[in-house]
Structure formats: C-alpha cells, structure tokens
C-alpha cells in the first residue's frame, strides 16, 4: 500500500523528501495545523485575499523553540505544509524555507516569510505564546472604527468572556502567567494600536501594548485586524473565536445604542 500523507495526498507528493512526508503524516504537526486552520479561518472571512495568518511554535515537539511561519502574500487557504518557513528561537535561525523544496511542489517565485513574522516573534518572546493568529476579521476592523478616538476596547457582563484567560504578571518568574479564566461580569480590555503602511513597523506599538496591558491576549490594529495569541494553538483558536464573538456583539450593541460596558 502506498504511504498516506496528511497533506491530502495518498502517495508521497512528487519530490517531497521522505523525512518531511513522514512528519506531515501527523495531523497535529504544526505545518498541517496551519493549513487546516487557515482553511477554516478563510471560511470565516478572517484570512481572505491573502490577508491574515497563523504561526505555531512546536510546544509539543522535541524542540519547543521551533516556529512554523507561512510564506508572505499567498492565498492562505491554499498553503501546503511544505511551504512553511521553519525558524528556531531565540535567534530566528532559519532551519528550512519553501525555497529549499523541489520546484515541482512549489511556486516559481522566491518565497518570503510572512510580513507578520516580527509580530508573531514578539508574542513568543514577550508572552511565551505557543501560537499566534492574525486575522483581518471585519468585526475587528469595525470595532476599531467605532472606537476611533480610543486606545482600548472594553466589554463586560457577557457569558462568553469566561472563555478568556485571567493573566497576571508574576514578579518571581518575570513572566505573565495564566491563573484561571475571567468571570462573565468582569471587564475584558483589548488595546488598540494604529495601523502603519508596513506590517513590520507595527512591532514597537504592539510590544508597548503587550507590556502596558499584561492582562491581554490580543491587540487590535485599527482599520486592519487583530493579533491573538495563546499557550497552544488550540487556546489561541478559542481566544480568537471568543474575542471575535464579543467584538461582533459589541458592534451590534453600539448600533442598537447599548453600551458594551454595564455599570
Ligand atoms: C492583503 S495584504 C495583507 C498584509 O499586508 C498583512 O497585513 C497580512 O496580514 C498578511 O501578510 P503576509 O505577509 O501575506 O503573511
Ligand atoms: Zn494583516
């Protein structure tokens, strides 16, 4: 029987090194998860038209400093697992690029790493995140327009807030750590930073927002989208979904003349 491959090929795709084929047999391999979740997020309108993206740190693998990043400017829902850039923290040493993969499996152009890479790295280094999701969700964009003159989005007294983590700075470890979940009546605060022409130039303001708001798991980028991170890709996915739900609800509340803050 031919070897099967989770990258949706029944046989080894022509030219794919056997070692990579073996890795991609695991449906939970970070490269497969990025492909799977990009397709899911595309259907939510979160990563259409090449916008948005996902990066995963291999927290369950033998080397948790290995990070998978998709290439730049590609249709995110069509990425294949061998098209990832693989880098090692903390120096961002490049271990593999899609430019190393046989040409019959890749596009003819020279691949570049996602423009979001430095922002993903900020989430890994400042928050020890296991994954980071960037979407161009219209709910994220719209809320930043409704809060045009404000530097934070706030909402409270909604059940879905309980899906988000309670984070606290631990002076002993010097890290922000999860110490449970928020209560439904508590206030979720997400900082908003202003967009800039080039994604990489968002790093300074994203890092400032992360430091200024140790309780946050996300940063909104005005007229652009949102960055959300978590301890693992599955936590990041849940936080992203819960936040997007709350953003959509807050937009509807504002339109109906209801303040998302009750008190
Ligand atoms: C539609 S272009 C969007 C990009 O500028 C950027 O904001 C983005 O989200 C994706 O960047 P990419 O380099 O393709 O991973
Ligand atoms: Zn973007």
């Amino acid at each position: 029987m031919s070897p099967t491959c989770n990258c949706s090929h029944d046989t080894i795709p022509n030219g794919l090194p056997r070692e990579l084929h073996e890795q991609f047999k695991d449906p939970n391999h970070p490269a497969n998860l990025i492909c799977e979740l990009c397709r899911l997020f595309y259907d939510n309108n979160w990563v259409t038209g090449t916008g948005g993206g996902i990066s995963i740190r291999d927290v369950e693998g033998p080397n948790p400093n290995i990070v998978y990043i998709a290439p730049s400017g590609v249709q995110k829902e069509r990425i294949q697992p061998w098209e990832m850039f693989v880098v090692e923290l903390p120096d961002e040493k490049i271990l593999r690029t899609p430019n190393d993969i046989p040409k019959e499996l890749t596009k003819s152009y020279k691949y570049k790493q996602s423009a979001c890479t430095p922002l993903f790295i900020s989430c890994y280094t400042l928050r020890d995140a296991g994954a980071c999701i960037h979407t161009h969700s219209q709910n994220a964009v719209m809320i930043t327009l409704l809060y045009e003159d404000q530097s934070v989005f706030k909402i409270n007294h909604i059940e879905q807030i309980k899906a988000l983590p309670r984070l606290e700075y631990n002076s002993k470890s010097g890290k922000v750590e999860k110490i449970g979940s928020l209560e439904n009546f508590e206030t979720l605060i997400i900082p908003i930073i202003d967009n800039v022409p080039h994604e990489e130039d968002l790093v300074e303001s994203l890092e400032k927002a992360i430091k200024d708001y140790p309780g946050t798991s996300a940063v909104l980028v005005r007229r652009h989208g949102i960055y959300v991170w978590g301890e693992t890709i599955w936590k990041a996915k849940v936080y992203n979904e819960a936040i997007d739900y709350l953003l959509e609800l807050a937009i509807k509340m504002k339109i109906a003349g209801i303040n998302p803050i009750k008190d």
Side-chain angles (χ1 to χ4, degrees), residues 48-53 70-74 76 112-116 120 134 136 197 199 224 227:
T48 51
T50 79
S72 182
V74 301
K76 298 298 186 308
K112 284 192 308 188
Q113 273 184 73
S114 168
C116 312
F120 293 146
H134 169 48
H136 284 191
E199 197 101 12
H224 179 159
Y227 280 83

Side-chain angles (χ1 to χ4, degrees), residues 58-105:
D58 196 8
V59 281
E60 292 185 359
N63 183 352
N65 286 326
I66 290 185
V67 169
Y68 289 78
I69 302 161
S72 182
V74 301
Q75 296 178 72
K76 298 298 186 308
E77 74 285 9
R78 303 196 66 202
I79 306 173
Q80 297 290 342
W82 52 81
E83 290 185 296
M84 305 297 162
F85 283 79
V86 186
V87 305
E88 187 174 12
L89 300 177
D91 304 329
E92 295 174 52
K93 182 181 162 201
I94 296 180
L95 303 182
R96 191 174 75 238
T97 88
N99 299 312
D100 306 330
I101 299 294
K103 279 295 156 209
E104 56 263 50
L105 283 175

